[in-house]
Amino acid sequence: MVQSSCRSPMFLLLLQLAALVSPLLAQEQAHEFEDASLEPLPPADDECRAGAAEGGRPACALSALQRRGQKILGDPLVRAADGEEGKSEEADDEEELSLAEESAEESLQAHRRRRRHSRRRRSKPIVKGISYGPMPCKDGNCEALMDDFMCEAAKPMWGPRGRADLNTMSLMGANTVRLYGNSPAADHSSFLDEAHAQKLKVVVGMSDYPYTQMKDNCMRNGYDCYELVKAVYTMNLLKGFVVDEAVTPDKSYHPALSTVIV
């Protein structure tokens, strides 16, 4: 029954009509898929018609549909590989971005540390000091009547008309001079003025005379040194540590005086 129906005149007529119409359909499909770069179905040939005549789907049409589907959807293996590669590239991009952000943050932190360090260095200048005690001795057995080298009697050593020790210190790059002897009865105004002219800061120490040497030193008074130290320090203020009222009415410390060690 199947063979007789396939060979009927009506069926053969339909096949002839399909052979005439299929080229037109193929051209229309080619225009339709041209923009999408898709391959149109091929026109029906003798093998396709023979396959259709036997009641099955033509293999040529099936392969064309498969190729078209692959172009639209892509090969499954290729799609999977592309997906994995895309994920890998995204992960690499995210990792590079993260590393770049970390590097930028580290650079910013390092820059901030350098700026803080630079500000601290500017706000706290480095002390380059020289301890000054020019005892006129060639050996360690000599004795001096006093060790206060800020007084007028020692001016030939540090003054500009003498040896000019303070000027020599300044030329050597020092910015501070440290002294030890300090007689409260001696005037220190000239020494502080010369140090200021040479751009030197002065660090002085209070004499140990009220602590250990004077008759009623604080060692004999239960180590109560307040009154003795106050009296000696007041004499230092009057002997040059405070600028004269004619220069500064507010009685400020001498600009060269940096530190007093009690």
Side-chain angles (χ1 to χ4, degrees):
M1 295 295 292
V2 175
Q3 292 180 355
S4 62
S5 62
C6 291
R7 295 174 182 175
S8 63
M10 182 62 69
F11 185 75
L12 294 176
L13 180 61
L14 291 175
L15 285 178
Q16 291 177 358
L17 290 174
L20 293 174
V21 174
S22 59
L24 299 176
L25 293 176
Q27 292 179 359
E28 184 178 355
Q29 290 172 353
H31 290 296
E32 180 180 354
F33 293 102
E34 185 177 3
D35 295 336
S37 300
L38 298 177
E39 181 182 351
L41 290 174
D45 53 12
D46 295 337
E47 293 182 359
C48 291
R49 286 193 292 271
E54 294 177 358
R57 188 168 187 176
C60 57
L62 181 60
S63 62
L65 288 173
Q66 288 176 344
R67 289 195 300 272
R68 182 182 299 174
Q70 289 177 359
K71 285 191 175 183
I72 296 174
L73 301 177
D75 186 85
L77 296 178
V78 175
R79 288 202 313 273
D82 291 342
E84 294 297 330
E85 184 178 357
K87 292 180 181 178
S88 177
E89 291 179 355
E90 291 179 359
D92 292 341
D93 293 341
E94 292 179 357
E95 184 178 359
E96 291 178 0
L97 180 60
S98 177
L99 292 175
E101 291 176 351
E102 291 178 1
S103 178
E105 182 66 23
E106 291 176 358
S107 299
L108 180 60
Q109 294 296 334
H111 176 66
R112 289 174 176 172
R113 286 194 297 270
R114 287 194 297 269
R115 289 189 61 185
R116 287 195 296 268
H117 181 66
S118 178
R119 284 197 296 267
R120 284 196 296 267
R121 291 188 63 181
R122 288 196 299 268
S123 60
K124 296 181 179 180
I126 298 174
V127 175
K128 295 178 285 185
I130 294 178
S131 295
Y132 188 58
M135 292 289 291
C137 301
K138 294 184 179 180
D139 54 49
N141 297 322
C142 69
E143 294 183 2
L145 297 178
M146 61 180 301
D147 59 354
D148 183 356
F149 295 103
M150 295 186 292
C151 66
E152 290 290 328
K155 192 171 184 177
M157 289 188 287
W158 50 259
R161 299 182 63 180
R163 199 168 65 183
D165 288 348
L166 293 179
N167 177 257
T168 301
M169 296 178 196
S170 179
L171 293 176
M172 291 173 63
N175 57 18
T176 305
V177 55
R178 167 76 161 98
L179 297 107
Y180 299 90
N182 178 8
S183 173
D187 186 27
H188 303 127
S189 300
S190 296
F191 182 88
L192 293 173
D193 291 342
E194 179 63 18
H196 184 61
Q198 299 299 332
K199 296 181 173 56
L200 294 171
K201 292 296 183 180
V202 179
V203 178
V204 300
M206 184 172 289
S207 173
D208 59 358
Y209 182 76
Y211 298 102
T212 61
Q213 298 179 24
M214 65 182 300
K215 182 178 179 180
D216 295 326
N217 61 72
C218 61
M219 291 179 62
R220 299 180 179 180
N221 193 24
Y223 293 96
D224 183 3
C225 302
Y226 175 77
E227 293 296 336
L228 292 175
V229 170
K230 180 180 178 182
V232 171
Y233 189 70
T234 301
M235 295 177 68
N236 280 146
L237 295 177
L238 297 174
K239 295 291 184 176
F241 283 13
V242 172
V243 180
D244 189 83
E245 294 183 8
V247 180
T248 54
D250 57 350
K251 294 185 178 181
S252 61
Y253 282 100
H254 196 286
L257 187 63
S258 171
T259 306
V260 178
I261 301 173
V262 178

